[in-house]
């Protein structure tokens, strides 16, 4: 296998917090290269002030080849910009065009709330309704239920590549083909898959996709996310325009004529946050020499190991993440009525997982920096907590994640 050795892949590239960090699916740990890139841009600001823009002007576009590789797209199909929420608004404004009976939006009842809120906004703006595909087990999505919901009234469906609570990975090529067969456009929220596994948005023919870069891309809190627009849609004008989406060559002519950048870059709106973009610039360097297939292989081996440890030592915790590799993302979710208290007690002991209401403990072994021994220690501490009940004495108020 090329790329990182299976034991200690790129761990030395990260400044890890003390203890055991298993929350990289919420906020990835900091790569040294992210800090260095931010400091470099800060120094440029100090020494060059406004002249720094000569360098920063094309910074977002300069990241497109690396981002394109991560999502399986041409550089012209992606751009680092915005948040998932803002990008969804921009893309829905452009792509959701109700016509005749084909006027409704489709998502799932398991979606991250911001996706639902954005879709609700555009359904209300354009006179359609948002339909939510139900889950049979409150944790996962069945492809037959997606098929059943894709009626001729659906104009556009948005799906997560990986469900944030259960960690179920959906089949992007199959569901994209299904949506198109049914005459609907399809967008993907890749928050929980970018940086954790390979993607093929171009070949799958997805219409658009969005992602954040603070999880498995390790670009830091609030770093700019990104979006993908398939090249067959590059003749569409973005509905929400701004001067940063104007063609670079004419942007500073400052005329009222909007001339869109070629491709996804046209979906930029205002001045990019250069310091946060610098963190992404640095974080992407970690991926330059690593094969995504190797990242995926190590991620699966770590989640396999964790699941087998839980099966063996923690029978009270129910693994809700699919066991089938083809349906598993990068994290493992464990259901237990005391999940909130278990999460808080682990944090008190220097092990950082997270909790998702009402009863899910999420553990993310990140291929780039998590050790198998850390999973063993986490399971040992969980066993001790359940045996002693010590977690029930922990104050769980006040935490935001
Ligand atoms: C699936 C998914 N979508 C969206 C978001 C958040 O979107 P934003 O980056 O706009 O805050 C998250 C955050 O964890 C997420 O998990």
């Amino acid at each position: 296998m090329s790329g990182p050795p299976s034991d200690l892949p790129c761990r030395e590239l990260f400044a890890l917090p003390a203890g055991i960090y298993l929350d990289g699916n919420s906020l990835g740990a900091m790569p040294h290269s992210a800090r260095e890139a931010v400091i470099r841009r800060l120094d440029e600001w100090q020494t060059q002030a406004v002249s720094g823009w000569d360098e920063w002007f094309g910074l977002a576009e300069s990241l497109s080849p690396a981002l394109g590789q991560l999502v399986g797209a041409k550089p012209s199909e992606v751009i680092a910009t915005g948040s998932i929420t803002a990008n969804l608004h921009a893309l829905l404004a452009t792509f959701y065009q109700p016509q005749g009976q084909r006027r409704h939006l489709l998502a799932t009842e398991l979606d991250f709330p911001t996706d639902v809120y954005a879709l609700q906004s555009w359904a209300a703006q354009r006179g359609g309704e948002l339909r939510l595909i139900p889950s049979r087990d409150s944790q996962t999505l069945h492809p037959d239920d997606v098929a059943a919901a894709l009626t001729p009234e659906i104009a556009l469906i948005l799906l997560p590549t990986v469900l944030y609570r259960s960690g179920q990975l959906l089949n992007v090529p199959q569901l994209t083909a299904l949506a198109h067969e049914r005459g609907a456009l399809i967008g993907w929220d890749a928050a929980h898959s970018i940086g954790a596994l390979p993607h093929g948005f171009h070949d799958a023919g997805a219409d658009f996709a969005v992602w954040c870069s603070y999880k498995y891309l390790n670009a830091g809190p609030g770093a700019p996310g990104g979006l993908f627009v398939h090249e067959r849609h590059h003749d569409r004008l973005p509905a929400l325009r701004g001067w940063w989406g104007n063609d670079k060559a004419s942007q500073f002519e400052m005329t009222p004529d909007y001339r869109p950048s070629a491709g996804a870059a046209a979906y930029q709106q205002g001045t990019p946050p250069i310091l946060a973009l610098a963190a992404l610039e640095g974080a992407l360097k970690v991926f330059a020499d690593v094969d995504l297939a190797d990242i995926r292989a190590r991620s699966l081996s770590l989640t396999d190991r964790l699941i087998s440890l839980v099966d063996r030592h923690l029978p009270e915790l129910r693994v809700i993440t699919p066991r089938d590799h083809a349906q598993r993302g990068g994290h493992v979710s464990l259901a237990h009525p005391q999940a909130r208290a278990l999460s808080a007690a682990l944090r008190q002991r220097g092990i950082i997982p997270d909790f998702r209401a009402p009863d899910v403990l999420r553990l993310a072994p990140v291929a780039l920096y998590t050790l198998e021994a850390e999973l063993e220690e986490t399971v040992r501490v969980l066993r001790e907590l359940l045996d002693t009940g010590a977690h029930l004495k922990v104050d769980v108020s006040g935490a935001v994640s």
Side-chain angles (χ1 to χ4, degrees):
M1 194 161 93
S2 64
S6 58
D7 241 14
L8 196 65
C10 305
R11 198 171 156 92
E12 73 284 358
L13 301 181
F14 288 84
L16 292 165
I20 297 178
Y21 194 64
L22 295 176
D23 207 8
N25 60 329
S26 185
L27 180 69
M30 186 177 72
H32 297 296
S33 51
R35 173 193 283 274
E36 286 156 14
V38 174
I39 290 171
R40 184 177 145 219
R41 299 297 177 194
L42 274 170
D43 287 345
E44 286 172 356
W45 176 25
Q46 182 183 336
T47 55
Q48 300 171 34
V50 75
S51 307
W53 276 113
D54 294 345
E55 171 98 4
W56 308 327
F57 188 47
L59 184 57
E61 283 80 359
S62 76
L63 306 182
S64 293
L67 281 178
Q69 285 216 330
L70 289 172
V71 298
K74 299 183 179 180
S76 63
E77 292 177 310
V78 296
I79 191 71
T81 190
S83 62
I84 288 182
T85 312
N87 291 338
L88 271 179
H89 280 296
L91 291 160
L92 290 169
T94 308
F95 284 91
Y96 173 43
Q97 304 291 346
Q99 269 174 357
Q101 66 157 355
R102 197 175 280 288
R103 50 187 318 95
H104 300 314
L105 290 166
L106 187 62
T108 97
E109 67 173 11
L110 300 175
D111 285 345
F112 193 86
T114 209
D115 295 24
V116 175
Y117 305 157
L119 289 159
Q120 281 168 344
S121 318
W122 287 96
Q125 297 268 345
R126 302 250 156 107
E129 69 186 45
L130 171 61
R131 296 185 180 168
L132 297 179
I133 305 164
S135 163
R136 297 179 186 192
D137 58 3
S138 306
Q139 311 291 355
T140 56
L141 201 62
H142 197 290
D144 290 351
D145 296 333
V146 181
L150 272 168
T151 63
E153 296 168 312
I154 300 302
L156 187 152
I157 175 173
L158 177 73
L159 289 175
T161 50
V162 171
L163 273 61
Y164 80 98
R165 196 185 273 113
S166 67
Q168 181 191 13
L169 168 67
L170 301 185
N171 188 321
V172 173
Q174 266 177 27
L175 291 167
T176 299
L178 177 69
H180 289 163
E181 260 167 51
R182 301 289 173 86
L185 294 175
I186 183 160
W188 290 94
D189 177 343
H192 282 274
S193 58
I194 189 164
L197 48 97
H199 297 67
F201 284 136
H202 175 87
D203 288 347
D207 295 289
F208 65 83
V210 291
W211 57 86
C212 58
S213 55
Y214 43 75
K215 299 180 188 289
Y216 296 97
L217 286 192
N218 314 304
L227 58 84
F228 159 88
V229 175
H230 199 281
E231 66 180 354
R232 68 174 175 279
H233 295 306
H234 287 184
D235 55 350
R236 288 188 189 221
L237 275 182
L240 306 186
R241 291 166 214 157
W243 77 311
W244 221 269
N246 196 89
D247 174 45
K248 285 267 165 287
S250 58
Q251 182 176 337
F252 271 87
E253 287 173 16
M254 305 294 208
T255 71
D257 305 321
Y258 173 72
R259 284 175 242 164
S261 278
Y267 288 79
Q268 295 171 96
Q269 293 178 10
T271 310
I274 293 301
L275 299 177
L277 201 56
L280 175 60
E281 176 190 26
L284 287 173
K285 292 198 173 127
V286 170
F287 292 86
D289 302 322
V290 191
D291 194 328
L292 278 171
D294 290 335
I295 290 183
R296 175 63 169 160
R298 185 156 194 278
S299 163
L300 284 171
S301 134
L302 286 169
T303 52
D304 275 347
R305 175 82 181 126
L306 179 56
I307 290 171
S308 78
L309 285 166
V310 171
D311 284 345
R312 195 146 145 229
H313 300 290
L314 303 167
E316 307 91 323
L317 290 165
R318 191 163 50 88
V319 178
I320 60 171
T321 303
R323 286 161 191 268
D324 173 10
H325 283 183
Q327 289 190 64
R328 193 191 308 159
H331 68 264
V332 172
S333 299
L334 306 170
H336 189 275
Q338 295 152 2
R340 184 191 287 271
L342 288 169
S343 174
L346 283 175
R347 284 188 178 214
Q348 263 196 353
R349 286 157 181 75
I351 300 174
I352 315 293
D354 71 12
F355 162 74
R356 285 294 172 264
D359 62 354
V360 175
L361 180 70
R362 296 191 309 181
L363 302 173
V366 175
L368 295 169
Y369 52 76
T370 304
L371 305 175
E372 247 186 66
E374 294 180 313
L375 303 179
E376 289 156 14
E377 174 61 6
T378 302
V379 169
R380 189 193 67 72
V381 174
L382 275 169
R383 182 67 268 154
E384 197 175 275
L385 290 170
L386 289 163
D387 286 342
T388 59
H391 58 293
L392 298 173
K393 297 181 193 110
V394 175
D395 177 13
V396 293
S397 59
V400 294
S401 64

